[in-house]
Short mmCIF file of all heavy atoms in Angstrom, two decimals:
data_model
loop_
_atom_site.label_atom_id
_atom_site.label_comp_id
_atom_site.label_asym_id
_atom_site.label_seq_id
_atom_site.Cartn_x
_atom_site.Cartn_y
_atom_site.Cartn_z
N PRO A 1 122.47 99.31 118.51
CA PRO A 1 123.48 98.32 118.17
C PRO A 1 123.67 98.01 116.66
O PRO A 1 122.63 98.18 115.86
CB PRO A 1 122.95 96.98 118.80
CG PRO A 1 122.32 97.51 119.97
CD PRO A 1 121.59 98.84 119.53
N ASN A 2 124.84 97.84 116.22
CA ASN A 2 125.03 97.72 114.69
C ASN A 2 126.26 96.66 114.55
O ASN A 2 127.04 96.28 115.47
CB ASN A 2 125.46 99.00 114.17
CG ASN A 2 126.61 99.72 114.86
OD1 ASN A 2 127.69 99.55 114.54
ND2 ASN A 2 126.27 100.64 115.73
N ALA A 3 126.24 96.09 113.37
CA ALA A 3 127.25 95.00 113.10
C ALA A 3 127.60 95.03 111.60
O ALA A 3 126.65 95.18 110.73
CB ALA A 3 126.69 93.63 113.51
N PHE A 4 128.81 94.87 111.30
CA PHE A 4 129.37 94.76 109.90
C PHE A 4 129.36 93.35 109.45
O PHE A 4 129.81 92.47 110.21
CB PHE A 4 130.60 95.47 109.75
CG PHE A 4 130.54 97.07 109.70
CD1 PHE A 4 130.20 97.77 110.90
CD2 PHE A 4 130.50 97.67 108.56
CE1 PHE A 4 130.12 99.13 110.87
CE2 PHE A 4 130.45 99.10 108.45
CZ PHE A 4 130.32 99.82 109.72
N SER A 5 129.18 93.14 108.21
CA SER A 5 129.29 91.89 107.60
C SER A 5 130.87 91.58 107.65
O SER A 5 131.68 92.40 107.64
CB SER A 5 128.88 91.86 106.13
OG SER A 5 129.43 92.73 105.33
N PRO A 6 131.24 90.20 107.58
CA PRO A 6 132.63 89.92 107.76
C PRO A 6 133.49 90.60 106.55
O PRO A 6 134.67 90.87 106.81
CB PRO A 6 132.66 88.35 107.61
CG PRO A 6 131.38 87.91 108.22
CD PRO A 6 130.40 89.01 107.63
N ASP A 7 132.92 90.82 105.34
CA ASP A 7 133.69 91.51 104.34
C ASP A 7 133.56 92.93 104.43
O ASP A 7 134.10 93.68 103.55
CB ASP A 7 133.39 90.91 102.94
CG ASP A 7 131.84 91.31 102.57
OD1 ASP A 7 131.19 92.07 103.39
OD2 ASP A 7 131.42 90.88 101.42
N GLU A 8 132.91 93.52 105.33
CA GLU A 8 132.78 94.94 105.62
C GLU A 8 132.07 95.72 104.56
O GLU A 8 132.17 96.84 104.55
CB GLU A 8 134.10 95.39 105.97
CG GLU A 8 134.83 94.82 107.16
CD GLU A 8 136.22 95.43 107.44
OE1 GLU A 8 136.68 96.22 106.63
OE2 GLU A 8 136.78 95.12 108.51
N SER A 9 131.25 94.92 103.66
CA SER A 9 130.51 95.62 102.65
C SER A 9 129.20 96.16 103.13
O SER A 9 128.65 97.06 102.51
CB SER A 9 130.35 94.65 101.44
OG SER A 9 129.56 93.55 101.73
N LYS A 10 128.61 95.48 104.10
CA LYS A 10 127.35 95.84 104.64
C LYS A 10 127.35 96.15 106.12
O LYS A 10 127.97 95.52 106.87
CB LYS A 10 126.34 94.80 104.43
CG LYS A 10 126.11 94.26 102.91
CD LYS A 10 125.35 95.42 102.12
CE LYS A 10 124.85 94.99 100.82
NZ LYS A 10 125.96 94.43 99.86
N LEU A 11 126.59 97.13 106.52
CA LEU A 11 126.34 97.52 107.87
C LEU A 11 124.92 97.33 108.20
O LEU A 11 124.02 97.74 107.48
CB LEU A 11 126.65 99.00 108.08
CG LEU A 11 126.20 99.66 109.44
CD1 LEU A 11 126.86 99.06 110.58
CD2 LEU A 11 126.32 101.21 109.36
N TYR A 12 124.70 96.48 109.27
CA TYR A 12 123.31 96.32 109.80
C TYR A 12 123.21 97.03 111.06
O TYR A 12 123.99 97.08 111.87
CB TYR A 12 123.12 94.78 110.01
CG TYR A 12 123.27 93.99 108.66
CD1 TYR A 12 124.53 93.49 108.20
CD2 TYR A 12 122.11 93.81 107.93
CE1 TYR A 12 124.60 92.83 107.09
CE2 TYR A 12 122.23 93.17 106.66
CZ TYR A 12 123.47 92.62 106.30
OH TYR A 12 123.61 92.08 105.04
N PHE A 13 122.03 97.82 111.17
CA PHE A 13 121.86 98.52 112.37
C PHE A 13 120.35 98.57 112.83
O PHE A 13 119.48 98.47 111.98
CB PHE A 13 122.45 99.88 112.36
CG PHE A 13 121.83 100.79 111.10
CD1 PHE A 13 120.81 101.72 111.46
CD2 PHE A 13 122.33 100.79 109.87
CE1 PHE A 13 120.22 102.36 110.48
CE2 PHE A 13 121.69 101.66 108.91
CZ PHE A 13 120.72 102.50 109.20
N GLN A 14 120.16 98.65 114.14
CA GLN A 14 118.87 98.99 114.74
C GLN A 14 118.68 100.41 114.99
O GLN A 14 119.63 101.13 115.23
CB GLN A 14 118.65 98.12 115.91
CG GLN A 14 118.76 96.62 115.70
CD GLN A 14 119.02 95.79 116.96
OE1 GLN A 14 119.91 96.16 117.76
NE2 GLN A 14 118.26 94.67 117.13
N VAL A 15 117.39 100.79 114.96
CA VAL A 15 117.14 102.22 115.34
C VAL A 15 116.14 102.29 116.34
O VAL A 15 115.30 101.30 116.59
CB VAL A 15 116.63 103.08 114.01
CG1 VAL A 15 117.75 103.11 112.91
CG2 VAL A 15 115.33 102.59 113.50
N SER A 16 116.00 103.40 117.06
CA SER A 16 114.96 103.65 118.10
C SER A 16 113.60 103.31 117.52
O SER A 16 113.23 103.62 116.53
CB SER A 16 114.98 105.08 118.60
OG SER A 16 116.26 105.32 119.32
N PHE A 17 112.80 102.69 118.41
CA PHE A 17 111.43 102.43 118.26
C PHE A 17 110.98 101.32 117.16
O PHE A 17 109.77 101.15 116.97
CB PHE A 17 110.60 103.74 117.91
CG PHE A 17 110.85 104.83 118.79
CD1 PHE A 17 111.46 105.99 118.45
CD2 PHE A 17 110.44 104.79 120.17
CE1 PHE A 17 111.76 107.05 119.40
CE2 PHE A 17 110.71 105.97 120.98
CZ PHE A 17 111.32 106.94 120.60
N PHE A 18 111.91 100.77 116.55
CA PHE A 18 111.76 99.97 115.34
C PHE A 18 111.86 98.54 115.71
O PHE A 18 112.93 98.06 116.16
CB PHE A 18 112.48 100.34 114.19
CG PHE A 18 112.31 99.56 112.84
CD1 PHE A 18 110.97 99.38 112.42
CD2 PHE A 18 113.36 99.09 112.19
CE1 PHE A 18 110.84 98.63 111.37
CE2 PHE A 18 113.18 98.39 111.00
CZ PHE A 18 111.84 98.11 110.57
N ASN A 19 110.79 97.67 115.40
CA ASN A 19 111.01 96.17 115.52
C ASN A 19 111.60 95.58 114.19
O ASN A 19 110.79 95.01 113.45
CB ASN A 19 109.73 95.58 115.87
CG ASN A 19 108.57 95.99 114.98
OD1 ASN A 19 108.27 97.20 114.82
ND2 ASN A 19 107.98 95.00 114.13
N GLY A 20 112.82 95.81 114.04
CA GLY A 20 113.53 95.29 112.86
C GLY A 20 114.91 95.96 112.72
O GLY A 20 115.49 96.33 113.82
N PHE A 21 115.55 95.91 111.62
CA PHE A 21 116.75 96.44 111.35
C PHE A 21 116.99 96.93 109.88
O PHE A 21 116.15 96.58 109.05
CB PHE A 21 117.87 95.38 111.66
CG PHE A 21 117.81 94.09 110.91
CD1 PHE A 21 118.51 94.04 109.71
CD2 PHE A 21 117.08 93.01 111.33
CE1 PHE A 21 118.44 92.83 109.03
CE2 PHE A 21 117.05 91.89 110.63
CZ PHE A 21 117.65 91.70 109.50
N VAL A 22 118.10 97.65 109.68
CA VAL A 22 118.34 98.29 108.25
C VAL A 22 119.70 97.72 107.90
O VAL A 22 120.65 97.44 108.55
CB VAL A 22 118.43 99.69 108.48
CG1 VAL A 22 118.76 100.36 107.21
CG2 VAL A 22 117.12 100.27 109.11
N GLU A 23 119.71 97.39 106.47
CA GLU A 23 120.98 97.07 105.80
C GLU A 23 121.43 98.25 104.96
O GLU A 23 120.72 98.87 104.25
CB GLU A 23 120.70 95.87 104.92
CG GLU A 23 121.96 95.46 104.15
CD GLU A 23 121.62 94.36 103.08
OE1 GLU A 23 121.08 94.67 101.94
OE2 GLU A 23 121.88 93.19 103.36
N TYR A 24 122.71 98.58 105.13
CA TYR A 24 123.31 99.82 104.55
C TYR A 24 124.54 99.32 103.74
O TYR A 24 125.42 98.55 104.26
CB TYR A 24 123.73 100.78 105.60
CG TYR A 24 124.61 101.87 105.13
CD1 TYR A 24 124.09 103.00 104.34
CD2 TYR A 24 125.92 101.90 105.48
CE1 TYR A 24 124.92 104.01 104.01
CE2 TYR A 24 126.76 103.06 105.10
CZ TYR A 24 126.24 104.15 104.41
OH TYR A 24 127.06 105.10 103.94
N ASP A 25 124.65 99.61 102.46
CA ASP A 25 125.78 99.29 101.68
C ASP A 25 126.84 100.34 101.83
O ASP A 25 126.57 101.64 101.50
CB ASP A 25 125.31 99.19 100.14
CG ASP A 25 126.41 98.66 99.27
OD1 ASP A 25 127.40 99.49 99.05
OD2 ASP A 25 126.22 97.58 98.75
N VAL A 26 127.99 99.91 102.28
CA VAL A 26 129.00 100.84 102.67
C VAL A 26 129.62 101.58 101.43
O VAL A 26 129.77 102.82 101.40
CB VAL A 26 130.14 100.18 103.45
CG1 VAL A 26 131.30 101.16 103.85
CG2 VAL A 26 129.50 99.60 104.77
N ALA A 27 129.90 100.90 100.45
CA ALA A 27 130.55 101.41 99.13
C ALA A 27 129.60 102.30 98.43
O ALA A 27 130.00 103.37 98.03
CB ALA A 27 131.09 100.27 98.33
N GLU A 28 128.34 101.88 98.46
CA GLU A 28 127.35 102.71 97.59
C GLU A 28 126.71 103.81 98.48
O GLU A 28 126.08 104.61 97.81
CB GLU A 28 126.33 101.76 97.11
CG GLU A 28 126.79 100.78 96.07
CD GLU A 28 125.57 99.95 95.55
OE1 GLU A 28 124.44 100.26 95.77
OE2 GLU A 28 125.95 98.83 94.74
N ASP A 29 127.09 103.87 99.75
CA ASP A 29 126.45 104.74 100.70
C ASP A 29 125.06 105.02 100.50
O ASP A 29 124.48 105.99 100.40
CB ASP A 29 127.20 106.18 100.42
CG ASP A 29 126.82 107.26 101.41
OD1 ASP A 29 126.36 107.00 102.52
OD2 ASP A 29 126.89 108.38 101.06
N ARG A 30 124.36 103.83 100.63
CA ARG A 30 122.83 103.91 100.59
C ARG A 30 122.19 102.69 101.29
O ARG A 30 122.86 101.57 101.46
CB ARG A 30 122.25 103.93 99.15
CG ARG A 30 122.57 102.59 98.39
CD ARG A 30 122.24 102.73 96.97
NE ARG A 30 122.35 101.47 96.25
CZ ARG A 30 121.35 100.47 96.17
NH1 ARG A 30 120.23 100.67 96.73
NH2 ARG A 30 121.46 99.38 95.49
N ILE A 31 120.99 102.79 101.78
CA ILE A 31 120.31 101.69 102.35
C ILE A 31 119.68 100.84 101.29
O ILE A 31 119.15 101.33 100.45
CB ILE A 31 119.18 102.30 103.27
CG1 ILE A 31 119.83 102.94 104.56
CG2 ILE A 31 118.19 101.26 103.72
CD1 ILE A 31 118.92 103.77 105.31
N THR A 32 119.98 99.43 101.56
CA THR A 32 119.59 98.61 100.54
C THR A 32 118.42 97.75 100.85
O THR A 32 117.52 97.34 100.05
CB THR A 32 120.78 97.62 100.09
OG1 THR A 32 121.33 97.25 101.38
CG2 THR A 32 121.80 98.37 99.28
N ARG A 33 118.27 97.30 102.05
CA ARG A 33 117.04 96.59 102.63
C ARG A 33 116.75 97.00 103.96
O ARG A 33 117.51 97.38 104.76
CB ARG A 33 117.40 95.10 102.53
CG ARG A 33 117.68 94.52 101.17
CD ARG A 33 117.68 92.99 101.13
NE ARG A 33 118.94 92.58 101.88
CZ ARG A 33 119.33 91.29 101.93
NH1 ARG A 33 118.44 90.32 101.64
NH2 ARG A 33 120.46 90.99 102.57
N ILE A 34 115.37 96.92 104.29
CA ILE A 34 114.94 97.18 105.55
C ILE A 34 114.05 95.90 106.08
O ILE A 34 113.14 95.55 105.26
CB ILE A 34 114.19 98.38 105.70
CG1 ILE A 34 115.09 99.58 105.42
CG2 ILE A 34 113.51 98.58 107.17
CD1 ILE A 34 114.34 100.98 105.39
N LYS A 35 114.40 95.33 107.23
CA LYS A 35 113.57 94.26 107.57
C LYS A 35 112.75 94.42 108.85
O LYS A 35 113.34 94.93 109.83
CB LYS A 35 114.60 93.11 107.93
CG LYS A 35 114.01 91.81 108.66
CD LYS A 35 113.01 91.06 107.70
CE LYS A 35 112.50 89.76 108.39
NZ LYS A 35 111.59 89.09 107.38
N THR A 36 111.42 94.25 108.74
CA THR A 36 110.58 94.41 109.87
C THR A 36 110.32 92.95 110.46
O THR A 36 109.95 92.05 109.70
CB THR A 36 109.23 95.03 109.39
OG1 THR A 36 109.48 96.27 108.83
CG2 THR A 36 108.23 95.13 110.57
N LEU A 37 110.51 92.89 111.70
CA LEU A 37 110.33 91.64 112.35
C LEU A 37 109.07 91.61 113.14
O LEU A 37 108.45 92.61 113.39
CB LEU A 37 111.54 91.37 113.37
CG LEU A 37 112.86 91.08 112.77
CD1 LEU A 37 113.94 91.16 113.70
CD2 LEU A 37 112.77 89.60 112.18
N PRO A 38 108.60 90.36 113.55
CA PRO A 38 107.24 90.31 114.15
C PRO A 38 107.17 91.12 115.48
O PRO A 38 108.07 91.21 116.17
CB PRO A 38 107.10 88.88 114.47
CG PRO A 38 108.02 88.10 113.42
CD PRO A 38 109.16 89.04 113.26
#
């Protein structure tokens, strides 16, 4: 599952096996933050 911010500048997505999610900057084409959840 994935979701874009309302201004469509960031993409948030989950990946297999990971307890957390990733933030991707659409314009810069790079991952900016990764959040690990409990």
Side-chain angles (χ1 to χ4, degrees):
N2 54 86
F4 283 77
S5 60
D7 65 2
E8 302 178 346
S9 65
K10 297 292 193 299
L11 164 67
Y12 298 89
F13 61 91
Q14 295 163 316
V15 299
S16 291
F17 308 116
F18 182 48
N19 52 299
F21 59 89
V22 178
E23 179 187 76
Y24 169 76
D25 189 290
V26 177
E28 295 181 8
D29 185 23
R30 69 183 182 92
I31 288 167
T32 45
R33 295 186 291 178
I34 297 174
K35 172 66 175 179
T36 301
L37 286 166

